[in-house]
Amino acid sequence: MTVAAEPTRTHAAHPPPAPAPKRHPWQRVARLGLPYLLLLPAVLFELLVHVVPMLVGIFMSFKQLTQFFIRNWSAAPFAGLANYRFALDFDGVVGQKLLHSFEVTCGFTVLTVGVSWLVGTGAAVLMQDPFRGRGVLRTYFLVPYALPAYTAAITWEFMFQRDNGLINRLLVDDLHLFKEPPFWLLGPNSFWALVVTAVWRTWPFAFLVVTAGLQNIPGELYEAAALDGAGVWRRLRSVTLPQLRPVNQVLVLVLFLWNFNDFNTPYVLFGNVAPPQANLISLQIYDTSFHSWNFGSGSAMSVLLLLFLLLLTTAYLLVTNRRGKADG
Amino acid sequence: MRTSTRVRSALLTMVVSAALLTACGSGGQSGPGGQPTITYWASDQGSSIAEDVKVLTPELDAFTRQTGIKVNLEVIGWSDLLNRILAAATSGQGPDVVNIGNTWSTSLQATGAFLPISADVLNQIGGTGRFLPNAIAATGAPGKDPVGVPLYSLAYALYYNKAMFAAAGIQNPPATWEEFVADGKLLTHAQQWGVSVEGASTSENAHHAFTFSQQQGGGFFDASGKPTFNTPQNVAAIKQYVDFVAADKIANPSDAEYSNGTEAVQDFATGKAAMMLWQTADAQLGNYGMDPAQYGVVPVPFPASPPSGARHVDSIVAGINMAVFAATRNQDAALQFVKFMTSRQTQIDLNKAYSSLPSVTDAYSDPAFQTPTAKTYQQILTDSAAPMPAVTEESQFETAMGTVLKNLFADAASGKAVTEQAVATQLDQAQQQLNAGG
């Protein structure tokens, strides 16, 4: 990294850079170091908030951490890979439950992200052209995103109650769709209650991001497309969606990670034990850690989940980047 | 994107700094005159957290006037309390004094996170002699220093609506389960159900599972503390309880959703159900507008012809204990507070407000505990209540058994048949999970 090496690599086309004014070496160090110095607080906080707990979690996953050691958990005996074997033993009850909750979570996430993206994008495209009351409507759309997750989920819990809930009053009393009021908070329907609540909470973010993305599309593209005789659908397909690709790439990833790890929504909807049909993986990990007091296995499951999400995210980024390049 | 990243990191920094500030703030604070401020996590005993704050605040103020020690009160809902306690035990960052459900005592004792109440400590707060023997028995495993001091004593009993019984032509409240189911069927019609249950409440479910199992001659742990969930007696016990919805159809299937400890009571108070099996509920029922003259309280029924080995148990020894965190820096102040809370006058005031029973004998002379209901409860507690299993996995057992019943109630509510086989499978899985947790 010394400047002396530079002249040998100079090409004729690039004139050598004007020699920098002489500075005291200390000044140069300070100048080079300043950005890092400014970054330092953020790095420290990042370490404190994310990296340290993560390392602690990984460490815990190799320990036999039961109730006898939770007060002084570093004294817990080492378990080797036992916690991982236990989590992945699909013949055992816990492994079976973990696998089941993994499947439920995959279905839940794909549905929630898909529907949220569709609704959010649809709303953003419809709101693209200015009209009276657009601002009010936009603000209104963002309400679910602004509400605290707990408040929102508990409201849904009231609405989904079988006897006194708003949903059944609408479906059974007003629309007469069912003879007997169905259960939403237990049994197979609990999965749908979870999806509805999650979509309601998720789509405004998709709307917000897509709206921002739409504002970055130059108007000339639409004008040119209109000149070429492209209709509404053609413009959507050939201009809007391709232009939104980078935005969507990030958006879908963020939505996926959020929903895959969602704990608040099912916890508030169903209480500390969710129905098997709506038992997301985060709840299953919580169950292992806090109900069975087996924090070691709970940590091992968290690490497995983290690995899975890391792998998936990497694969996703690789594929979408390559496709993005191929198209561009 | 760049702006949003910057905004996000700014937000992150703010959140982190706020978190750090609060973390620093919760360390040893001192009140005026050098007296410490202690933090007290109270379990919610009334029908709402706001009500608990209203009941407790005057007592805490009196304590501060007496000692100069300030008490920082936080009332925590039942469903969160155990998790909060566990988190506090793990991190070592917790309150000074906390309420624990007495059935968790042995589990929490095993963590070592609580101050052992040795004979010496007990002397500091007024001695053993004053506490009810049954209540003091439910403060930890036998032979070890307990981790709690009894605060409120509770038991299960059968509540019945007198007017509804009269309307159905029933003379006396049921004393056997056979009568209970027969009466329940007479009381179930139109918008009214025989009994209300909290089918999704894990602790409530576990308590009933225990009592019903004792009455069948069963048990969930053997003498050496090993789980014995899947026995014919336990299957019969669990099935008997779920059958209120599944086979007898004397409870509303919607009860399978109830979990927060207020819904079943509300149904009883508003005339949607004629009976309920509940811990002392007078204060709650009063809040929902029900007059004590409208209902009667009798012991929980028993089988007419009990199977061999049946024990005459009709309630768990229920109650709330006070525990002091071992990590507290204000041990003296914390113990002074425990002493105050178990003093005669405070015991009278608080148990009157919550319609629970005092945990100390000298408070019983107050007229509030001489009513027929209070007398019934006292008799249950001395004669026919049994403590939950004193095993270290007790808390895991409560969630596991509560979940078994929650799932079975859900099946029953959606019209699925609850067979003995289905019950046995659920019990088997719960036991495997408990063993795996070891």
Side-chain angles (χ1 to χ4, degrees):
Chain A
M1 267 300 180
T2 47
V3 188
E6 280 289 289
T8 54
R9 290 210 269 124
T10 332
H11 291 265
H14 297 281
K22 277 241 171 200
R23 281 213 184 118
H24 195 272
W26 172 241
Q27 263 179 322
R28 237 189 39 225
V29 171
R31 202 170 57 100
L32 281 175
L34 188 65
Y36 296 100
L37 202 69
L38 291 177
L39 269 176
L40 197 67
V43 172
L44 273 180
F45 279 129
E46 176 68 20
L47 274 174
L48 214 67
V49 175
H50 283 125
V51 181
V52 171
M54 207 165 78
L55 291 178
V56 169
I58 294 173
F59 180 63
M60 276 182 174
S61 71
F62 293 104
K63 289 228 156 197
Q64 210 178 318
L65 202 57
T66 56
Q67 59 197 340
F68 301 102
F69 299 103
I70 59 169
R71 192 188 158 209
N72 183 12
W73 52 266
S74 53
F78 266 98
L81 287 173
N83 287 328
Y84 289 89
R85 274 202 296 273
F86 175 64
L88 295 173
D89 170 20
F90 298 134
D91 293 329
V93 172
V94 177
Q96 266 169 23
K97 281 191 169 178
L98 188 71
L99 187 65
H100 173 75
S101 65
F102 177 74
E103 289 161 6
V104 172
T105 311
C106 287
F108 161 79
T109 311
V110 168
L111 261 171
T112 307
V113 174
V115 176
S116 301
W117 181 83
L118 270 179
V119 176
T121 307
V125 169
L126 287 177
M127 296 277 154
Q128 203 177 0
D129 297 324
F131 59 90
R132 261 173 84 93
R134 183 171 75 150
V136 179
L137 215 53
R138 269 188 179 164
T139 319
Y140 190 69
F141 281 176
L142 291 177
V143 167
Y145 180 57
L147 271 182
Y150 196 91
T151 321
I154 212 153
T155 310
W156 279 100
E157 196 248 331
F158 286 137
M159 296 204 296
F160 277 125
Q161 279 174 10
R162 182 190 189 227
D163 281 0
N164 312 313
L166 201 69
I167 306 280
N168 274 353
R169 185 168 308 166
L170 183 77
L171 296 180
V172 183
D173 299 345
D174 297 342
L175 299 174
H176 306 288
L177 289 178
F178 300 92
K179 251 190 175 160
E180 273 284 298
F183 281 101
W184 295 104
L185 296 172
L186 54 87
N189 288 342
S190 55
F191 178 78
W192 298 108
L194 188 61
V195 170
V196 167
T197 312
V199 166
W200 179 85
R201 193 213 51 210
T202 308
W203 81 264
F205 183 73
F207 168 72
L208 187 73
V209 172
V210 174
T211 301
L214 287 177
Q215 279 163 359
N216 280 336
I217 302 178
E220 299 90 64
L221 289 179
Y222 286 107
E223 283 162 24
L227 277 180
D228 290 340
V232 176
W233 281 113
R234 186 65 210 243
R235 268 180 283 169
L236 184 70
R237 233 160 24 90
S238 303
V239 180
T240 311
L241 288 180
Q243 288 288 319
L244 281 179
R245 182 189 288 284
V247 169
N248 275 331
Q249 186 190 350
V250 177
L251 175 64
V252 168
L253 184 66
V254 168
L255 294 186
F256 179 85
L257 292 176
W258 271 4
N259 281 290
F260 209 94
N261 286 317
D262 192 9
F263 177 80
N264 288 338
T265 316
Y267 184 78
V268 179
L269 274 186
F270 306 118
N272 60 354
V273 182
Q277 295 90 346
N279 197 23
L280 296 188
I281 197 157
S282 53
L283 283 177
Q284 186 54 40
I285 293 173
Y286 164 81
D287 186 54
T288 307
S289 300
F290 282 87
H291 292 154
S292 308
W293 292 34
N294 199 340
F295 295 89
S297 301
S299 302
M301 291 175 183
S302 303
V303 172
L304 288 172
L305 182 66
L306 180 76
L307 283 177
F308 169 77
L309 290 177
L310 260 178
L311 272 174
L312 208 75
T313 307
T314 316
Y316 172 83
L317 289 177
L318 281 176
V319 169
T320 47
N321 274 340
R322 191 176 306 153
R323 263 184 40 197
K325 268 185 203 134
D327 290 358
Chain B
M1 282 322 271
R2 174 161 293 179
T3 333
S4 84
T5 320
R6 208 178 297 154
V7 171
R8 224 182 304 148
S9 31
L11 274 176
L12 183 73
T13 319
M14 255 165 58
V15 170
V16 172
S17 333
L20 284 175
L21 281 176
T22 36
C24 300
S26 66
Q29 298 155 326
S30 288
Q35 285 290 11
T37 297
I38 56 171
T39 304
Y40 172 42
W41 283 0
S43 55
D44 76 309
Q45 298 297 123
S47 48
S48 72
I49 285 177
E51 192 207 317
D52 278 299
V53 173
K54 218 169 76 190
V55 169
L56 289 167
T57 306
E59 300 296 330
L60 303 185
D61 288 347
F63 174 68
T64 308
R65 276 197 304 277
Q66 240 178 55
T67 58
I69 301 165
K70 276 202 181 151
V71 183
N72 187 353
L73 170 72
E74 192 180 340
V75 181
I76 299 175
W78 264 112
S79 47
D80 296 327
L81 185 59
L82 186 60
N83 292 345
R84 293 282 300 272
I85 292 174
L86 280 184
T90 319
S91 65
Q93 291 283 320
D96 303 281
V97 182
V98 67
N99 277 175
I100 59 177
N102 70 352
T103 62
W104 308 332
S105 297
T106 317
S107 293
L108 291 175
Q109 192 176 32
T111 65
F114 294 93
L115 181 75
I117 308 290
S118 62
D120 181 45
V121 173
L122 208 53
N123 276 335
Q124 282 182 53
I125 58 162
T128 32
R130 297 174 61 235
F131 292 99
L132 302 185
N134 236 343
I136 205 99
T139 51
K144 283 185 193 163
D145 280 339
V147 289
V149 177
L151 181 63
Y152 312 122
S153 285
L154 302 153
Y156 278 90
L158 170 67
Y159 283 74
Y160 67 97
N161 184 315
K162 287 179 183 170
M164 288 180 183
F165 268 58
I170 306 165
Q171 305 292 328
N172 294 309
T176 67
W177 287 118
E178 288 74 5
E179 288 170 15
F180 177 87
V181 172
D183 292 350
K185 286 179 177 162
L186 287 175
L187 292 159
T188 301
H189 46 75
Q191 298 297 309
Q192 181 188 312
W193 293 90
V195 61
S196 63
V197 296
E198 294 253 323
S201 158
T202 46
S203 52
E204 192 80 22
N205 282 341
H207 299 163
H208 289 305
F210 172 75
T211 308
F212 281 58
S213 155
Q214 293 281 304
Q215 294 192 357
Q216 293 290 331
F220 290 101
F221 294 90
D222 65 15
S224 65
K226 281 216 183 86
T228 51
F229 287 6
N230 187 7
T231 64
Q233 291 89 340
N234 290 342
V235 171
I238 300 284
K239 190 164 183 308
Q240 187 194 348
Y241 188 46
V242 183
D243 272 350
F244 291 172
V245 172
D248 309 327
K249 300 192 189 301
I250 54 173
N252 187 350
S254 298
D255 290 9
E257 279 178 3
Y258 290 180
S259 68
N260 63 15
T262 63
E263 292 149 310
V265 186
Q266 218 166 342
D267 279 3
F268 179 76
T270 53
K272 286 184 187 157
M275 297 186 276
M276 66 170 182
L277 304 162
W278 210 259
Q279 303 182 46
T280 44
D282 301 58
Q284 264 198 75
L285 290 171
N287 281 342
Y288 296 129
M290 202 180 199
D291 189 84
Q294 292 175 277
Y295 58 85
V297 182
V298 291
V300 168
F302 197 70
S305 45
S308 71
R311 281 165 290 263
H312 199 119
V313 168
D314 53 26
S315 172
I316 64 162
V317 178
I320 313 295
N321 297 344
M322 282 189 107
V324 175
F325 262 96
T328 176
R329 285 181 223 157
N330 307 308
Q331 192 177 314
D332 274 348
L335 286 174
Q336 279 189 61
F337 181 57
V338 174
K339 183 178 183 180
F340 171 83
M341 291 293 275
T342 50
S343 69
R344 180 170 180 270
Q345 195 52 49
T346 317
Q347 279 283 300
I348 292 174
D349 294 348
L350 287 177
N351 286 294
K352 217 190 270 186
Y354 290 135
S355 72
S356 46
L357 292 178
S359 60
V360 290
T361 43
D362 52 11
Y364 279 88
S365 51
D366 190 273
F369 309 110
Q370 301 297 327
T371 63
T373 307
K375 292 240 168 201
T376 306
Y377 274 118
Q378 281 169 50
Q379 199 173 1
I380 294 170
L381 267 178
T382 26
D383 297 344
S384 52
M388 290 284 270
V391 294
T392 49
E393 297 97 346
E394 203 286 330
S395 123
Q396 293 96 309
F397 157 72
E398 277 197 32
T399 325
M401 201 50 58
T403 308
V404 165
L405 277 161
K406 180 176 177 171
N407 289 342
L408 290 170
F409 270 123
D411 285 352
S414 15
K416 253 198 223 165
V418 176
T419 59
E420 285 181 357
Q421 186 52 49
V423 176
T425 310
Q426 287 271 350
L427 285 175
D428 215 36
Q429 285 189 356
Q431 176 165 340
Q432 279 183 48
Q433 194 168 355
L434 191 85
N435 281 335

